[in-house]
Amino acid sequence: GITEAQARAIVNNALKLYSQDKTGLVDFALESGGGSVLSTRCSETYETKTALLSLFGVPLWYFSQSPRVVIQPDIHPGNCWAFRGAQGYLVVRLSMAVHPTAFTLEHIPKALSPTGNITSAPKDFAVYGLESEYQEEGLLLGQFTYDQDGESLQMFHVLKRPERAFQIVELRILSNWGHPEYTCLYRFRVHGEPIK
Amino acid sequence: GITEAQARAIVNNALKLYSQDKTGLVDFALESGGGSVLSTRCSETYETKTALLSLFGVPLWYFSQSPRVVIQPDIHPGNCWAFRGAQGYLVVRLSMAVHPTAFTLEHIPKALSPTGNITSAPKDFAVYGLESEYQEEGLLLGQFTYDQDGESLQMFHVLKRPERAFQIVELRILSNWGHPEYTCLYRFRVHGEPIK
Amino acid sequence: PRSGDLCCPPTWLTWTPYLVLSYVNGPPP
């Protein structure tokens, strides 16, 4: 059995980690920290023409989430970037050059999905390190699978720490969990060791 | 006494629920998920004319929160919709038609209120299911009281699951906790079962 | 109080100084 003091320590440490972006690790892709989306290659934002913004009764435009939301921390239902189909690309410039060690992919929990499922979540994906924004095939840092029955936040470690450091990474989504029309990306993070 | 592993499990489950919008339930009113504010009927937004926005030193307009904040997740002090008096209405279109089962009303905790009290918090309120935006008297789903001495987030269950499903609900605030000029709504959520 | 006092035009949205968001074609992705 544990004492009250030990229980408090467990709680405090858990809350501390939770408040440290849930991971306690630097996210070099985070937009406010200096990350930016360079391109989505040939992926196409899925335009539903449903969220109409108006002012003084005058319709202005249809709003849809941009790819930037993938490197922003809000993951409430709907705050995702949706691309057409199940294959998509996101090229991100990190806040600094790092030796990537892990990636985090987040999706809303099934419990909060109005449809009760997360078929639009990514499934198989790969991450590449690029030497320049236009490099077509970078260095494969790892291929992983986001588990729709797993935790909302999943971390994937690179098998072998790359010798090179990269400031540009490409997230390549290869399949989703069944949605026929689009795939949603809520948040992608890049963890690693900065170059000395 | 409990073991350390049991304590960790308790803490982790609590944090998991907390991270699921604190309730683990779908909020069909949430704007990013597809909910929208249709109207406020005859309530009048309370204009404080205090928050002045300027550009290049030129004053532009007084800013006040729109009713949309009631279906947005940020509940920091001030991020509420204030209506004049103690009776107000909010007509919300849900992201889909559901059989409502519960409603959540949130207000800032007293501890965070600069005045030390929450007299502008709603007190008695009722929720109606509407068949159309202009229906005058919908189906009463329940009448409830938000307790100013209770938790910041309070959930209210409908007594009887309605046979009909509704995509439009009306929140009718009937009284507040004493503020003579206005009432503030921080967040209103609608939980329910989607139609099959 | 009745909500039925549609004393003001139902489309309150028309002259409000806020950006209004409405979903016209189903829920967002």
Side-chain angles (χ1 to χ4, degrees):
Chain A
I2 58 171
T3 65
E4 191 180 311
Q6 283 170 309
R8 287 188 197 286
I10 289 173
V11 170
N12 287 340
N13 288 338
L15 278 177
K16 183 172 174 177
L17 181 65
Y18 187 88
S19 73
Q20 292 176 352
D21 214 2
K22 296 192 187 173
T23 59
L25 296 176
V26 180
D27 173 13
F28 293 95
L30 184 69
E31 185 176 67
S32 62
S36 56
V37 172
L38 291 181
S39 90
T40 60
R41 300 243 152 141
C42 38
S43 337
E44 208 184 309
T45 294
Y46 185 79
E47 300 281 1
T48 52
K49 290 204 178 339
T50 183
L52 181 62
L53 285 169
S54 321
L55 188 62
F56 303 123
V58 178
L60 296 175
W61 52 76
Y62 290 106
F63 168 77
S64 56
Q65 297 284 6
S66 90
R68 286 172 58 197
V69 301
V70 184
I71 53 175
Q72 293 169 0
D74 182 357
I75 62 155
H76 283 95
N79 284 340
C80 61
W81 172 56
F83 59 82
R84 184 177 293 280
Q87 279 95 44
Y89 307 83
L90 193 73
V91 180
V92 176
R93 185 173 186 278
L94 309 177
S95 49
M96 59 182 66
V98 303
H99 298 271
T101 53
F103 311 105
T104 293
L105 213 54
E106 250 178 296
H107 200 86
I108 51 163
K110 266 190 210 178
L112 296 188
S113 170
T115 57
N117 63 54
I118 51 167
T119 53
S120 64
K123 190 175 169 189
D124 301 307
F125 68 97
V127 186
Y128 295 80
L130 305 184
E131 296 184 25
S132 82
E133 181 187 343
Y134 304 109
Q135 188 184 15
E136 288 192 14
E137 285 290 321
L139 175 69
L140 177 66
L141 298 169
Q143 189 161 327
F144 314 97
T145 300
Y146 181 87
D147 181 6
Q148 68 164 343
D149 297 314
E151 294 296 310
S152 166
L153 184 156
Q154 295 173 26
M155 193 177 297
F156 307 88
H157 297 266
V158 307
L159 281 177
K160 179 163 118 70
R161 177 188 180 283
E163 275 177 35
R164 260 213 62 164
F166 296 97
Q167 192 161 6
I168 302 178
V169 299
E170 178 194 337
L171 168 64
R172 201 181 291 184
I173 307 294
L174 307 168
S175 61
N176 72 18
W177 279 99
H179 199 290
E181 287 165 51
Y182 58 79
T183 305
C184 280
L185 285 186
Y186 275 88
R187 185 168 174 199
F188 171 64
R189 314 187 198 192
V190 178
H191 312 294
E193 294 158 20
I195 50 183
K196 297 198 192 314
Chain B
I2 58 171
T3 65
E4 189 179 314
Q6 282 170 312
R8 288 190 192 284
I10 289 171
V11 170
N12 287 341
N13 287 339
L15 276 179
K16 183 172 173 176
L17 181 65
Y18 185 86
S19 73
Q20 292 177 353
D21 216 1
K22 297 191 188 171
T23 59
L25 296 177
V26 180
D27 172 13
F28 293 96
L30 185 68
E31 185 174 84
S32 62
S36 55
V37 172
L38 291 182
S39 90
T40 59
R41 298 249 155 137
C42 280
S43 337
E44 205 184 312
T45 293
Y46 184 83
E47 302 280 1
T48 53
K49 294 209 184 323
T50 56
L52 181 63
L53 287 169
S54 319
L55 187 63
F56 305 125
V58 178
L60 295 175
W61 56 76
Y62 287 108
F63 168 77
S64 57
Q65 296 285 8
S66 92
R68 285 172 61 194
V69 302
V70 184
I71 53 174
Q72 292 170 0
D74 181 357
I75 61 157
H76 285 97
N79 283 342
C80 61
W81 172 55
F83 59 82
R84 186 177 292 281
Q87 280 97 44
Y89 310 86
L90 194 73
V91 181
V92 176
R93 186 176 183 277
L94 308 177
S95 50
M96 59 182 65
V98 303
H99 297 272
T101 52
F103 310 106
T104 292
L105 213 53
E106 252 178 294
H107 201 85
I108 51 163
K110 266 191 209 176
L112 295 188
S113 170
T115 57
N117 64 54
I118 51 166
T119 53
S120 63
K123 190 176 170 188
D124 301 307
F125 68 97
V127 186
Y128 296 80
L130 304 184
E131 295 185 26
S132 82
E133 180 187 345
Y134 306 111
Q135 187 183 14
E136 292 190 11
E137 285 290 319
L139 175 70
L140 177 66
L141 298 169
Q143 191 162 325
F144 314 98
T145 301
Y146 181 86
D147 180 5
Q148 67 164 344
D149 296 316
E151 296 294 311
S152 167
L153 185 155
Q154 296 172 24
M155 192 178 296
F156 307 89
H157 296 266
V158 309
L159 280 178
K160 180 163 117 75
R161 176 190 182 281
E163 277 179 31
R164 259 216 62 165
F166 296 97
Q167 191 161 6
I168 303 179
V169 300
E170 178 194 337
L171 169 65
R172 204 181 288 185
I173 306 296
L174 308 169
S175 59
N176 72 17
W177 280 98
H179 199 290
E181 287 165 53
Y182 59 81
T183 305
C184 278
L185 286 185
Y186 274 89
R187 186 169 173 198
F188 171 63
R189 314 187 198 191
V190 178
H191 311 294
E193 294 157 21
I195 51 182
K196 298 203 191 307
Chain C
R2 277 169 52 90
S3 78
D5 289 343
L6 296 179
C7 48
C8 30
T11 49
W12 72 279
L13 306 161
T14 309
W15 294 108
T16 52
Y18 317 116
L19 271 182
V20 168
L21 179 82
S22 49
Y23 288 99
V24 299
N25 193 17

